[in-house]
């Protein structure tokens, strides 16, 4: 709120008034000042012309020679105060009504052309609105405080007023409402302040004259009760906490923040930050302001965050942000190029010399993975930041990597209507599409900060060291995230850093090289997925239809098919990883291979699935073929009969095609299998395939023909029942334990034998084994699905070996 200029008395003396003029009658605009508030006088240079003053008394006082400083200043003060007081009361009375205007103006226009010695200016006429006009204006103000030009013009014609009069009336009315609201808030704060002051004074008086509760006489300080000792300790702790929070807020806002002055109280006797009482308690709750130490207080996870918790979270977030930015900008010797794959590897010795772990030392038995990747994506920085800070949009963007996520607490929404300074507590389940890799459950802080125009950073850091967890922690997220910089034409440059510690004993031997190299949950996978998803969104939002797409499908039909395909892929991922999206049970019946995981669940009242008992079986195997070759083989509808029992032994025909990227492998297709005989109706199969630098996916499900006709015409796809199956392909990673050229299986490639590069293939099926949800699972059903997986893997191996 701008109250105009203030008198500059920084020198602390009354000298120098002769060389300056006091601006008291400068015209002001009520649109920029609250009603009833007059701009205070301020010192300006002597170059201001005399005709700026329209008060003869004030002008004459200023023109007199400064013979006696004190006397001149006295006369000047009298003229100044009297003139200002009269003008303030008059203008406050006029602005309070919000309806007075002078000659169609705002009611505050003054003529600055009259000099000090000239005749006084002609008094201008003020036009006061009629009660009917005020009633009409008030009625519109209640509905629309900010009318547009069209509304103002219509109202001025109806009320026989000028457009300027209507405009200034609304400006004055809004200013009046704002002033009234501020006065009300100030009144409430003043009452609260008086209440706290009275309470403080009563406590101080009680502490000055302590009374013994036993005899009623004066008490000795050394014989204070246990309750009083606790109060003293709590008072010292709260003072330390206030200083710490003010310092953190200063870091957070970029400017120093000071707390309210605290009176000297007898509660400080013998306590303080170094007192004999409470030294232990105060130090155990103190969070260091620097980044060189760890918080020692543990926050229980079963209660909401308090002020102390939030200050600890903020301190951790600031330390994590500093580390992320440095890791994103620093090259060698912190990051070293890998000779084999060309990827960047973290120099852990240099990392320990450069940074102090902000969440403590690595737990015993944990291993570290770290990676960094840079890429260009078709999305601007603001849109990407909004996606990352919204848990639902984040999970939708990375739906193959995130099984489930939620925001448990919003500590700060940001400043100035932006995400700058936003801080929130989140939970997430991160997944690799394989039953041999457990889902990573992490609880972390997500902090967003704008570093420059068009440059943002979003960092995640686990809070396991300062917040108790009810479950055993198998993964910790060290400062990880991305730095986003705007580029021309709506593109952004993204530098992603992923750094984590996890329990390797929970991971199968096949996937340990992939995870340790940072290719499983690493930065390359996040950037590649982001690039593919943004490219898909850009194509879908484009008005031009790709040449490969079937033009017979309408725009609404394309959206319905893509929505159905995404639901199919999400259900496939949930079945492979057995995340908490569905409640899975592990059956005890049947003979199942060691690396095959079989789970069951009941499908009840879900319109997107057939009712009954759903059995999901998944396994992962190593194949001595490249990921690209394996993906091309599995997505080719002409070769589908070599491994798919649904193909009826013949090739399939592509009935519809929707492109989702520049790569031909990113698409949604509708396939039709050949009929075995004339009496058998053909079957439709919905298939989605996607590929990027981190891996590929082939998901399919049989669908009902009438239901697909509805979807292709733009109908609701939520009622199409399907159970997906498919494949997930990732590279085996450096140092894989796959077979080497002499036929043995070993992770060490020494002795002159070179390792054969290969792929890790995950095969998964979801099958309805019984249409009754209350039925029991039979041994035959489990063995049938187990045989189906084994048979499919053997067919794929045989087909690829025949091609080689």
């Amino acid at each position: 709120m701008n109250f105009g200029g203030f008198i500059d008395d920084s020198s602390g003396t009354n000298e120098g008034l002769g060389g300056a003029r006091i601006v008291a009658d400068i015209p002001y605009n009520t649109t920029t000042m609250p009603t009833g508030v007059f701009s205070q006088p301020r010192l300006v240079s002597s170059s201001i012309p005399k005709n700026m003053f329209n008060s003869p008394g004030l002008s004459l006082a200023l023109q007199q020679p400064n013979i006696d400083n004190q006397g001149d200043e006295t006369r000047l003060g009298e003229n100044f105060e009297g003139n200002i007081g009269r003008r303030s009361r008059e203008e406050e009375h006029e602005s309070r009504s919000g309806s007075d205007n002078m000659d169609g103006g705002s009611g505050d226009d003054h003529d600055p052309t009259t000099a000090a010695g000239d005749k006084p200016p002609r008094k201008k006429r003020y036009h006061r609105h009629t009660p009917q006009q005020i009633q009409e204006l008030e009625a519109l103000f209640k509905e629309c405080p900010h009318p547009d030009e069209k509304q103002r013009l219509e109202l001025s014609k109806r009320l026989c007023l000028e457009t300027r009069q209507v405009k200034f009336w609304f400006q004055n009315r809004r200013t009046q409402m704002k002033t009234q609201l501020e006065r009300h808030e100030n009144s409430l704060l003043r009452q609260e302040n008086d209440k706290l002051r009275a309470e403080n004074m009563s406590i101080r008086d009680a502490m000055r004259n302590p009374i013994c509760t036993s005899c009623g006489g004066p008490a000795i300080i050394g014989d204070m009760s246990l309750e009083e000792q606790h109060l003293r300790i709590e008072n010292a702790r709260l003072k330390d906490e206030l200083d710490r929070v003010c310092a953190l807020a200063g870091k957070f806002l970029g400017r120093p923040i000071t707390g309210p002055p605290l009176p000297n109280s007898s509660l400080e006797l013998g306590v303080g930050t170094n007192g004999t009482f409470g030294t232990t308690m105060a130090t155990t709750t103190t969070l260091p302001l620097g980044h060189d130490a760890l918080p020692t207080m543990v926050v229980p996870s079963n209660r909401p965050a308090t002020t102390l918790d939030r200050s600890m979270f903020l301190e951790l977030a600031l330390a994590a942000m500093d580390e992320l930015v440095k890791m994103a900008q620093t090259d060698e010797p912190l990051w070293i190029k890998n000779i084999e794959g060309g990827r960047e590897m973290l120099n852990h010795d240099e990392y320990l010399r450069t940074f102090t772990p902000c969440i403590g030392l690595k737990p015993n038995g944990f291993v570290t993975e770290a990676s960094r990747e840079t890429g260009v994506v078709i999305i601007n920085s603001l849109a990407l930041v909004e996606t990352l800070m919204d848990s639902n949009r984040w999970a939708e963007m990375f739906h193959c990597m995130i099984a489930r996520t939620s925001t448990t607490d919003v500590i700060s929404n940001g400043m100035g209507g932006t995400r700058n300074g936003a801080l929130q507590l989140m939970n997430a389940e991160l997944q690799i599409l394989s039953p041999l890799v457990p889902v990573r459950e992490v609880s972390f802080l997500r902090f967003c900060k704008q570093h420059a125009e068009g440059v943002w950073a979003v960092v995640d850091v686990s809070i396991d060291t300062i917040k108790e967890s009810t479950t055993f922690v198998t993964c910790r997220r060290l400062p990880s995230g991305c730095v986003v910089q705007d580029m021309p034409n709506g593109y952004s440059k993204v530098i992603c850093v992923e750094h984590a510690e996890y329990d390797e004993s929970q991971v199968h031997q096949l996937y340990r090289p992939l995870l340790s190299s940072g290719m499983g949950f690493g930065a390359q996978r996040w950037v590649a997925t982001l690039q593919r998803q943004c490219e898909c969104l850009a194509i879908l939002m484009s008005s031009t239809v790709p040449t490969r797409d079937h033009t017979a499908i309408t725009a609404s039909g394309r959206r319905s098919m893509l929505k159905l395909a995404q639901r199919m892929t999400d259900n496939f991922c949930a079945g492979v990883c057995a995340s908490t999206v569905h409640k899975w049970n592990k059956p005890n019946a049947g003979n199942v291979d060691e690396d095959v995981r079989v789970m069951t669940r009941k499908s009840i009242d879900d319109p997107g699935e057939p009712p009954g008992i759903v059995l999901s079986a998944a396994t992962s195997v190593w194949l001595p073929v490249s990921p690209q070759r394996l993906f091309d083989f599995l997505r080719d509808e002409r070769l589908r009969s070599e491994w798919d029992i649904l193909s009826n032994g013949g090739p399939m025909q592509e009935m519809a095609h929707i492109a989702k990227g520049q790569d031909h492998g990113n698409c949604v297709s509708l396939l039709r299998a050949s009929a075995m005989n004339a009496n058998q109706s053909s079957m439709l199969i919905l298939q989605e395939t996607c590929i990027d630098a981190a891996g590929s996916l082939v998901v399919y499900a049989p669908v009902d023909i009438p239901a697909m006709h509805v979807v292709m015409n733009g109908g609701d796809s939520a009622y199409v029942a399907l159970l997906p199956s498919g494949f997930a392909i990732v590279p085996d990673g450096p140092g894989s334990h796959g077979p080497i050229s002499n036929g043995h299986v070993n992770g060490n490639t020494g002795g002159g034998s070179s390792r054969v590069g290969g792929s890790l293939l995950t095969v998964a099926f979801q099958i309805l084994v019984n249409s009754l949800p209350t039925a029991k699972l039979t041994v035959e059903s489990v063995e049938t699905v187990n045989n189906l997986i084994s048979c499919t893997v053997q067919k794929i191996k045989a087909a690829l070996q025949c091609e080689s």
Side-chain angles (χ1 to χ4, degrees):
M1 185 180 296
N2 183 11
F3 289 92
F6 290 84
I7 297 179
D8 186 6
D9 55 355
S10 57
S11 60
T13 65
N14 295 328
E15 298 179 359
L17 290 177
R21 296 178 183 269
I22 299 180
V23 180
D25 292 344
I26 295 179
Y28 68 97
N29 193 341
T30 57
T31 61
T32 60
M33 298 181 59
T35 304
V37 180
F38 191 82
S39 59
Q40 300 294 329
R42 56 192 174 98
L43 287 179
V44 298
S45 64
S46 60
S47 61
I48 297 179
K50 296 180 180 180
N51 57 6
M52 292 293 290
F53 302 95
N54 60 3
S55 175
L58 179 58
S59 301
L60 291 175
L62 289 174
Q63 292 173 6
Q64 293 177 357
N66 189 9
I67 300 174
D68 186 359
N69 289 335
Q70 183 175 2
D72 289 345
E73 291 173 4
T74 303
R75 290 192 298 273
L76 175 62
E78 293 174 355
N79 292 329
F80 172 75
E81 293 175 359
N83 191 21
I84 293 302
R86 289 192 298 272
R87 288 176 52 83
S88 299
R89 287 191 296 271
E90 292 174 0
E91 293 178 1
E92 180 180 1
H93 171 71
E94 293 175 357
S95 61
R96 186 179 297 115
S97 67
S99 61
D100 296 344
N101 288 279
M102 180 182 65
D103 294 337
S106 62
D108 57 358
D109 297 332
H110 299 275
D111 187 4
T113 60
T114 303
D118 296 341
K119 296 180 180 181
R122 180 177 58 88
K123 186 174 183 180
K124 297 187 178 182
R125 293 183 300 107
Y126 282 78
H127 296 289
R128 185 178 299 276
H129 297 326
T130 64
Q132 181 182 0
Q133 291 174 337
I134 295 177
Q135 184 177 3
E136 291 283 345
L137 292 169
E138 290 286 355
L140 180 59
F141 182 82
K142 292 180 180 179
E143 298 178 0
C144 179
H146 295 268
D148 55 20
E149 186 175 356
K150 182 178 178 181
Q151 292 174 311
R152 293 197 302 267
L153 181 60
E154 180 183 357
L155 188 61
S156 64
K157 291 180 180 179
R158 190 168 70 247
L159 300 179
C160 299
L161 296 173
E162 295 184 9
T163 308
R164 290 184 58 199
Q165 289 179 291
V166 176
K167 176 182 177 181
F168 286 124
W169 188 94
F170 274 92
Q171 289 177 347
N172 294 339
R173 191 68 177 86
R174 289 193 297 268
T175 304
Q176 180 185 8
M177 290 292 294
K178 183 178 179 181
T179 304
Q180 291 175 353
L181 179 62
E182 290 176 349
R183 287 175 180 172
H184 178 68
E185 293 178 350
N186 291 338
S187 177
L188 294 179
L189 293 175
R190 192 179 297 109
Q191 293 176 5
E192 184 68 19
N193 189 28
D194 294 340
K195 180 180 177 181
L196 293 176
R197 185 182 292 109
E199 183 179 352
N200 188 21
M201 293 299 297
S202 62
I203 294 177
R204 292 176 59 185
D205 293 340
M207 293 304 298
R208 288 194 188 99
N209 303 306
I211 299 176
C212 179
T213 56
S214 300
C215 62
I220 303 175
I221 297 298
D223 297 335
M224 68 178 65
S225 65
L226 182 62
E227 181 181 359
E228 293 176 356
Q229 294 180 13
H230 288 173
L231 287 176
R232 294 168 183 258
I233 295 172
E234 182 70 8
N235 183 57
R237 187 188 67 80
L238 289 176
K239 286 188 176 182
D240 292 339
E241 180 183 335
L242 176 62
D243 295 338
R244 182 170 62 256
V245 170
C246 290
L248 289 176
K251 286 185 179 181
F252 187 70
L253 299 176
R255 56 186 176 86
I257 302 295
T258 59
L262 298 177
N264 294 327
S265 171
S266 58
L267 286 174
E268 298 175 355
L269 294 177
V271 186
T273 54
N274 296 322
T276 56
F277 305 111
T279 302
T280 305
M281 180 177 293
T283 55
T284 54
T285 58
T286 298
L287 180 69
L289 294 179
H291 298 161
D292 298 333
L294 294 174
T296 56
M297 183 173 183
V298 178
V299 181
S301 60
N302 57 354
R303 66 172 176 84
T306 62
T307 303
L308 179 60
D309 304 340
R310 293 170 186 268
S311 65
M312 297 170 66
F313 291 156
L314 179 57
E315 172 70 13
L316 179 59
L318 291 170
M321 178 62 72
D322 291 343
E323 181 173 325
L324 171 69
V325 173
K326 291 179 181 178
M327 292 187 69
Q329 296 176 345
T330 307
D331 295 325
E332 294 185 358
L334 185 62
W335 294 97
I336 304 174
K337 286 285 186 179
N338 185 8
I339 300 177
E340 180 178 350
R343 296 187 179 90
E344 291 180 314
M345 299 176 56
L346 181 65
N347 185 344
H348 294 282
D349 295 335
E350 182 66 23
Y351 172 79
L352 293 177
R353 285 193 294 267
T354 306
F355 304 102
T356 299
C358 59
I359 60 173
L361 299 178
K362 180 173 64 177
N364 294 331
F366 278 38
V367 296
T368 304
E369 63 177 27
S371 58
R372 186 175 71 169
E373 186 74 14
T374 303
V376 178
V377 296
I378 314 176
I379 190 173
N380 61 65
S381 61
L382 290 178
L384 181 55
V385 166
E386 286 294 333
T387 299
L388 296 177
M389 299 305 295
D390 188 321
S391 59
N392 294 327
R393 294 170 60 179
W394 181 50
E396 186 176 356
M397 179 70 76
F398 302 95
H399 63 103
C400 292
M401 302 179 62
I402 303 173
R404 169 174 286 184
T405 182
S406 62
T407 301
T408 58
D409 189 14
V410 177
I411 300 173
S412 172
N413 282 318
M415 297 179 294
T418 67
R419 289 291 189 174
N420 183 25
L423 179 62
Q424 56 195 34
L425 185 61
M426 303 178 66
N427 291 326
E429 296 179 9
L430 309 180
Q431 63 188 5
I432 286 182
L433 298 181
S434 172
L436 306 183
V437 181
V439 175
R440 289 185 175 180
E441 299 183 17
V442 288
S443 179
F444 57 93
L445 284 172
R446 176 160 290 182
F447 179 48
C448 177
K449 184 178 181 181
Q450 183 179 14
H451 291 269
E453 185 67 27
V455 180
W456 294 77
V458 179
V459 65
D460 297 344
V461 60
S462 289
I463 59 170
D464 305 303
T465 55
I466 60 174
K467 194 175 182 70
E468 292 179 351
S469 177
T470 56
T471 59
F472 178 72
V473 177
T474 59
C475 176
R476 302 200 312 163
R477 194 164 170 80
L478 277 69
S480 305
C482 61
V483 178
V484 187
Q485 180 179 359
D486 275 332
M487 296 180 66
N489 301 325
Y491 285 75
S492 294
K493 177 183 177 182
V494 178
I495 305 176
C496 182
V497 175
E498 283 296 316
H499 198 187
E501 297 170 345
Y502 63 96
D503 185 5
E504 192 180 41
S505 63
Q506 305 291 326
V507 182
H508 193 275
Q509 291 285 348
L510 277 178
Y511 280 84
R512 289 187 181 181
L514 180 74
L515 267 63
S516 62
S517 65
M519 297 170 60
F521 293 96
Q524 182 196 24
R525 190 180 176 203
W526 289 100
V527 173
T529 303
L530 179 62
Q531 289 174 326
R532 174 169 52 82
Q533 289 289 87
C534 291
E535 184 181 14
C536 174
L537 291 176
I539 291 178
L540 296 180
M541 295 175 64
S542 175
S543 58
T544 59
V545 179
T547 56
R548 301 190 304 272
D549 285 14
H550 290 258
T551 56
I553 307 177
T554 63
S556 58
R558 294 176 64 201
R559 288 193 295 268
S560 296
M561 283 191 63
L562 291 173
K563 187 176 180 180
L564 179 61
Q566 181 172 349
R567 177 163 66 87
M568 175 183 67
T569 303
D570 291 343
N571 289 344
F572 170 78
C573 297
V576 171
C577 300
S579 64
T580 57
V581 175
H582 297 297
K583 184 178 180 180
W584 295 94
N585 299 312
K586 188 173 182 179
N588 297 323
N591 296 323
V592 181
D593 294 342
E594 180 181 359
D595 293 336
V596 176
R597 183 175 64 188
V598 178
M599 308 291 286
T600 63
R601 61 181 175 87
K602 295 180 180 180
S603 176
I604 304 175
D605 298 332
D606 189 349
E609 289 183 347
I613 297 180
V614 178
L615 189 145
S616 174
T619 188
S620 296
V621 296
W622 182 87
L623 296 179
V625 294
S626 66
Q628 182 68 49
R629 181 186 173 192
L630 183 57
F631 174 72
D632 292 337
F633 168 75
L634 293 174
R635 77 180 183 91
D636 192 343
E637 66 271 10
R638 297 168 298 179
L639 304 176
R640 198 178 186 97
S641 60
E642 299 189 27
W643 57 267
D644 189 6
I645 61 173
L646 297 177
S647 64
N648 296 331
M652 287 192 174
Q653 180 183 1
E654 187 178 60
M655 303 298 297
H657 181 100
I658 301 176
K660 295 183 62 178
Q662 297 296 330
D663 194 298
H664 290 196
N666 292 319
C667 65
V668 173
S669 305
L670 191 62
L671 308 178
R672 183 175 64 184
S674 302
M676 295 292 293
N677 51 60
N679 297 327
Q680 182 181 3
S681 61
S682 59
M683 179 189 302
L684 291 182
I685 293 180
L686 180 66
Q687 176 176 283
E688 179 177 14
T689 60
C690 55
I691 184 171
D692 52 43
S696 55
L697 198 65
V698 178
V699 183
Y700 63 93
V703 291
D704 186 49
I705 295 178
M708 285 309 301
H709 281 302
V710 174
V711 172
M712 294 176 67
N713 290 325
D716 189 4
S717 63
Y719 297 95
V720 179
L722 48 78
L723 289 176
S725 301
F727 308 94
I729 307 168
V730 293
D732 55 1
S736 171
H737 291 253
I740 56 178
S741 58
N742 58 7
H744 299 286
V745 178
N746 198 337
N748 186 2
T749 59
S753 298
S754 60
R755 186 183 66 83
V756 178
S759 305
L760 295 174
L761 173 67
T762 297
V763 185
F765 292 98
Q766 290 190 38
I767 300 175
L768 185 69
V769 295
N770 200 307
S771 59
L772 296 177
T774 57
K776 292 184 178 180
L777 185 66
T778 62
V779 177
E780 291 77 8
S781 300
V782 176
E783 293 180 350
T784 300
V785 175
N786 182 55
N787 293 334
L788 175 61
I789 282 190
S790 301
C791 181
T792 302
V793 171
Q794 293 301 323
K795 286 184 177 181
I796 293 174
K797 289 182 177 180
L800 291 173
Q801 289 173 358
C802 290
E803 289 182 359
S804 59

